[in-house]
Amino acid sequence: MSKAEKKQRGREAREAERQAKKRQQLISRLTWVGLPVLAVIGLIAFGIIRQNNQPPFDPMANLIPANLLGDPNAPVTIIEFGDFG
């Protein structure tokens, strides 16, 4: 094997090592950036699905007090209580 072939093999080995390191860095970046992004997307999707399962918001429901429900023409009976007989 000649000196030029040894140099070529060394260059190829260094290039392959550099490519492997570069690939490993890309995988690491995708892991540290991709997983949190997927988590945020999952939380947003969970919130949207949960919101769709709730009944629609009725702003008038809170304006009608519970003691106004019923017949407005119902008879009224007043009973007086005294302290002394």
Side-chain angles (χ1 to χ4, degrees):
M1 178 185 300
S2 71
K3 201 173 188 181
E5 289 174 345
K6 286 183 182 180
K7 274 187 171 183
Q8 184 64 26
R9 283 188 181 175
R11 277 190 222 126
E12 288 172 357
R14 284 191 302 271
E15 180 67 25
E17 185 178 321
R18 194 173 77 220
Q19 290 293 333
K21 190 175 180 181
K22 196 174 181 181
R23 190 177 316 116
Q24 192 64 26
Q25 285 176 344
L26 177 64
I27 291 170
S28 177
R29 271 195 209 117
L30 288 176
T31 301
W32 284 105
V33 173
L35 289 179
V37 167
L38 286 175
V40 169
I41 290 171
L43 287 174
I44 291 171
F46 176 74
I48 289 172
I49 290 169
R50 190 167 179 206
Q51 184 178 8
N52 285 340
N53 291 337
Q54 292 181 351
F57 177 68
D58 184 13
M60 299 302 288
N62 293 333
L63 297 177
I64 303 171
N67 62 352
L68 290 182
L69 298 176
D71 184 13
N73 296 322
V76 176
T77 304
I78 298 175
I79 302 174
E80 292 186 27
F81 294 96
D83 290 338
F84 303 105

